[in-house]
Amino acid sequence: MKHLILESSYYRELQKDYTRYLERLGYDEITARSLPSLVREFFYYLERNNIGDIQKVSPRDIREYYHYLKERPNSRREGTLSESMISTHIWAIRILMNWLQAEGRIDANPLSMLRFPKPRHKEREVLTRKEIQSLYEGCGDYFDRSIINLFYGCGLRKSEGQDLNVKDLDFSNKLLYVRSGKGKRRRVVPVAEKVAADLKAYYHYERPQRLRKSKNPHKQKQQAFMLNRWGERLSGSVLWRALRRIVRDAGIKDPHRITLHSLRHSIATHLLEIGLGVEQVRDFLGHSYLETTQIYTRVNKSISDNNDK
């Protein structure tokens, strides 16, 4: 569904205006690119149903589009769209309509009185300490260990690991700086001695080998900490494949449940297990609200209850 072509110049221009609006608000690059693509599909749907003006969109049209999304095939895998993806589509349209109403480009917001079911979130996947140890044993080099160290040992989000630069690591003081986390928030992450040693070994011994293969080594030298085999900043797909390989070599059962984010969930739970305060874990993870971190206390209790049975 990525390559839907809008026939109407009216909707093409409206999509461009929406993109510029998101950029002015300061949305991150990924969001400012993905939300307009979701809105494009909505515009395409309106064109197919002969609704040539956004002013004419009614609450009934929105409800029918919601049901269309529930039945639409998923272009990336078998089956239909997930609940969370449908919710993101509706969120993109809600931002659009709120903006158009504020600008006076529509008289009434067709979404103002509509409520849709919230997606049910899967229970957070938490690895055992033994599984984490197996992951480290499945690492073939310091590059592999750095992946586990960044996303488990430092609790980074995927985007934070990708955006990490050399200047963001202070090996002397064992600190890692997240310059722009979720919501553009900054934080300082304390790095355990063994984690710092692994990251330092990668930086001194393996990163230079990768850097030599870069087409622009001088620029890269000042930027990305984690490099792919061609000396460029790691992409999400390379990270995913590297983790899959580490998990496979670790011989862990049901490997598909392990993601970069499950490593982050795991370190949060394990820190609470050893008695670290919820506020400290919140700061470590970079959560805005204590309530978000408190979810892990319930996960931790659930695991403990199951272990007691």
Side-chain angles (χ1 to χ4, degrees):
M1 295 291 177
K2 289 184 177 179
H3 306 295
L4 300 176
I5 299 176
L6 296 172
E7 298 176 359
S8 164
S9 60
Y10 166 78
Y11 280 125
R12 288 198 299 270
E13 289 303 314
L14 189 55
Q15 182 187 341
K16 292 178 182 178
D17 289 347
Y18 180 63
T19 303
R20 286 190 285 267
Y21 166 69
L22 295 175
E23 291 172 346
R24 287 199 306 273
L25 285 184
Y27 279 91
D28 61 85
E29 183 181 350
I30 294 175
T31 304
R33 187 172 64 246
S34 62
L35 293 189
S37 70
L38 301 183
V39 163
R40 180 172 68 238
E41 183 170 354
F42 177 57
F43 290 162
Y44 184 84
Y45 173 87
L46 296 179
E47 284 187 344
R48 301 283 75 75
N49 287 275
N50 299 314
I51 302 175
D53 190 327
I54 199 73
Q55 179 78 262
K56 298 177 181 178
V57 175
S58 68
R60 180 179 178 179
D61 295 321
I62 300 292
R63 282 194 296 269
E64 289 179 351
Y65 183 66
Y66 172 77
H67 290 297
Y68 153 79
L69 290 173
K70 287 179 70 68
E71 297 176 359
R72 170 165 83 74
N74 192 314
S75 58
R76 295 187 177 182
R77 57 174 174 79
E78 292 184 4
T80 55
L81 295 178
S82 66
E83 291 180 352
S84 60
M85 192 67 244
I86 293 172
S87 180
T88 304
H89 273 268
I90 298 300
W91 178 54
I93 298 170
R94 195 177 294 279
I95 293 175
L96 169 75
M97 293 301 182
N98 289 343
W99 164 59
L100 292 176
Q101 186 178 36
E103 291 277 312
R105 297 170 70 167
I106 59 174
D107 297 328
N109 187 337
L111 269 160
S112 60
M113 300 300 290
L114 294 179
R115 296 294 179 268
F116 297 101
K118 293 183 178 181
R120 293 167 294 180
H121 295 289
K122 294 181 179 178
E123 187 172 328
R124 294 168 189 256
E125 186 66 48
V126 175
L127 283 69
T128 65
R129 293 176 184 277
K130 186 176 180 179
E131 287 175 321
I132 293 295
Q133 183 60 39
S134 295
L135 287 179
Y136 276 109
E137 292 171 357
C139 292
D141 52 24
Y142 284 113
F143 172 81
D144 289 353
R145 292 184 71 87
S146 292
I147 290 177
I148 306 302
N149 279 320
L150 290 175
F151 298 101
Y152 173 76
C154 299
L156 300 189
R157 300 178 177 92
K158 183 180 75 169
S159 60
E160 294 170 349
Q162 288 179 254
D163 293 343
L164 190 69
N165 290 329
V166 170
K167 66 180 181 179
D168 300 330
L169 281 155
D170 181 349
F171 292 120
S172 299
N173 295 303
K174 298 181 180 61
L175 296 173
L176 183 151
Y177 296 88
V178 177
R179 308 287 180 180
S180 183
K182 191 173 182 180
K184 297 190 178 298
R185 292 185 295 275
R186 298 185 176 192
R187 71 181 186 279
V188 181
V189 179
V191 181
E193 186 171 349
K194 178 57 178 171
V195 171
D198 283 347
L199 294 174
K200 190 174 182 179
Y202 158 76
Y203 175 70
H204 285 298
Y205 302 120
E206 293 179 9
R207 187 178 178 278
Q209 298 175 24
R210 293 170 177 258
L211 187 61
R212 282 193 287 270
K213 298 178 182 179
S214 172
K215 295 180 180 178
N216 194 348
H218 299 295
K219 180 181 178 181
Q220 287 287 357
K221 191 172 183 180
Q222 299 174 358
Q223 295 187 356
F225 178 72
M226 294 296 290
L227 303 177
N228 62 23
R229 67 179 64 183
W230 302 282
E232 299 171 350
R233 187 181 295 274
L234 283 184
S235 66
S237 60
V238 171
L239 273 171
W240 182 83
R241 288 196 298 271
L243 180 61
R244 289 271 68 77
R245 173 174 47 75
I246 295 168
V247 172
R248 180 199 65 208
D249 293 345
I252 293 177
K253 294 180 180 179
D254 193 15
H256 296 290
R257 66 189 172 86
I258 300 177
T259 64
L260 293 171
H261 215 65
S262 69
L263 297 180
R264 177 174 156 88
H265 294 328
S266 300
I267 187 61
T269 303
H270 294 167
L271 288 174
L272 289 167
E273 284 178 347
I274 63 174
L276 203 65
V278 177
E279 293 86 355
Q280 292 170 290
V281 176
R282 176 196 61 188
D283 295 340
F284 179 80
L285 296 175
H287 287 157
S288 294
Y289 305 104
L290 194 62
E291 291 81 0
T292 306
T293 315
Q294 286 173 331
I295 292 173
Y296 294 102
T297 63
R298 295 195 290 274
V299 173
N300 185 22
K301 184 178 185 303
S302 175
I303 292 172
S304 298
D305 290 345
N306 288 333
N307 290 338
D308 290 340
K309 293 179 181 179

